[in-house]
């Protein structure tokens, strides 16, 4: 993804380096809503945090559900349509455990440089698949790799999806457990939205051992700090008790 600015420079004609830099900012920076409306944190009126997990469902998701159940912790899962079709029963387990399900596209493409029609179909196909498998129609959307593009805002609007980025991303696909835990503790604040992963894009049987161990360590630490956990819909509401 470090090559995104270079890709955009090429797309914009090579001479528009400053424009490419500004566009790269709009495409990647979680707090920027220029290309598509999105939130990256709740209002912070309560001492609550939203845990979010991307790229599932996977064969490894049930182990995460066990840990969350042990701590009675609700979370939000941004699922990929293709993974839901592969593992509909796991998607249903997530929903029936009381977690929220969000849309993370149908096949997890990089949305940069894609047509508006392609982007809309990616979101719409995932909506249909998730609703068919779980009976829940997602209200929130998270872009793969956090990359937004032209046309995404309109697709979100047509499908009544709210864009959700994050206040802290765990880097749990490339860091060891202590680094993931300390990064997330550092990002703990009222209204924080933390991003982890219960899958690895479309991989079967992904190894998410680091994520699982990080969540085991993180939950009691955050509770000791006086935090409780809310689903994304709840954390975005300023008045919920
Ligand atoms: Zn993803």
């Amino acid at each position: 993804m470090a090559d995104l600015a270079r890709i955009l420079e090429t797309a914009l004609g090579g001479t528009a380096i400053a424009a490419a830099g500004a566009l790269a900012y709009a495409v990647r920076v979680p707090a920027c809503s220029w290309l598509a409306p999105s939130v990256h944190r709740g209002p912070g009126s309560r001492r609550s945090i939203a845990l979010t997990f991307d790229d599932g469902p996977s064969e490894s998701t049930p182990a995460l559900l066990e840990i969350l159940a042990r701590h009675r912790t609700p979370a939000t899962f941004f699922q990929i349509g293709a993974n839901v079709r592969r593992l509909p029963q796991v998607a249903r387990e997530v929903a029936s455990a009381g977690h929220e399900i969000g849309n993370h596209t149908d096949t997890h493409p990089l949305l940069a440089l894609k047509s508006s029609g392609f982007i809309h179909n990616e979101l719409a196909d995932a909506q249909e698949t998730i609703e068919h498998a779980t009976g829940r129609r997602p209200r929130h959307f998270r872009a793969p790799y956090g990359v937004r593009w032209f046309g995404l805002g309109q697709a979100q609007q047509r499908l009544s999806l709210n864009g959700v980025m994050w206040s802290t991303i765990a880097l749990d696909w490339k860091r060891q457990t202590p680094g993931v835990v300390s990064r997330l503790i550092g990002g703990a604040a009222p209204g924080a939205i933390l991003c982890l992963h219960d899958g690895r894009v479309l991989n079967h049987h992904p190894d998410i051992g680091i994520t699982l161990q990080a969540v085991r360590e993180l939950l009691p630490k955050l509770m000791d700090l006086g935090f409780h956990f809310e689903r994304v819909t709840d954390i975005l509401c300023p008045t919920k008790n």
Side-chain angles (χ1 to χ4, degrees):
M1 209 52 52
D3 290 337
L4 185 65
R6 185 178 52 74
I7 293 168
L8 296 175
E9 279 176 37
T10 306
L12 293 170
T15 55
I17 290 172
L23 185 54
Y25 179 89
V27 168
R28 293 297 316 282
V29 172
C32 184
S33 286
W34 179 47
L35 285 164
S38 63
V39 296
H40 69 287
R41 60 182 315 125
S45 46
R46 299 175 297 284
R47 200 163 171 78
S48 56
I49 286 174
L51 293 177
T52 67
F53 297 93
D54 292 1
D55 287 17
S58 77
E59 292 81 355
S60 311
T61 302
L64 174 61
L65 294 179
E66 271 186 43
I67 299 169
L68 295 174
R70 203 178 309 143
H71 293 278
R72 292 187 170 81
T73 298
T76 301
F77 289 75
F78 287 93
Q79 296 185 336
I80 299 170
N83 287 342
V84 173
R85 285 191 291 279
R86 188 165 63 83
L87 297 167
Q89 181 56 36
V90 180
R92 278 192 285 278
E93 281 176 41
V94 173
S96 64
H99 303 297
E100 182 162 27
I101 298 184
N103 181 324
H104 196 42
T105 71
D106 203 54
T107 64
H108 206 275
L110 185 64
L111 297 181
L113 309 179
K114 299 294 195 303
S115 72
S116 296
F118 176 93
I119 291 172
H120 176 267
N121 289 343
E122 275 287 332
L123 274 61
D125 290 350
Q127 284 292 89
E128 292 307 313
T129 293
I130 291 168
E131 186 171 17
H132 182 254
T134 69
R136 312 274 181 87
R137 192 162 181 86
R139 300 169 62 178
H140 304 291
F141 169 76
R142 177 170 282 156
Y145 314 103
V147 167
R148 281 78 46 89
W149 195 248
F150 302 96
L152 177 60
Q154 293 91 318
Q156 287 180 189
Q157 192 174 24
R158 282 174 65 187
L159 296 164
S160 301
L161 284 166
N162 172 50
V164 177
M165 300 289 275
W166 52 80
S167 55
T168 300
I169 191 161
L171 305 179
D172 50 339
W173 65 93
K174 64 179 182 182
R175 294 231 173 139
Q176 295 303 304
T177 302
V180 171
V181 172
S182 64
R183 192 175 165 83
L184 294 175
I185 294 287
I193 298 176
L194 307 181
C195 174
L196 298 96
H197 294 78
D198 63 316
R200 294 285 179 273
V201 191
L202 302 180
N203 293 352
H204 296 203
H205 297 278
D207 179 0
I208 63 164
I210 286 171
T211 306
L212 296 176
Q213 186 55 30
V215 173
R216 275 186 208 104
E217 295 178 21
L218 184 69
L219 293 181
K221 282 183 161 63
L222 291 178
M223 288 172 182
D224 285 349
L225 291 170
F227 288 104
H228 68 280
F229 300 93
E230 296 183 0
R231 304 179 313 167
V232 164
T233 290
D234 301 321
I235 207 162
L236 296 180
C237 178
T239 56
K240 186 175 186 298
N241 292 317

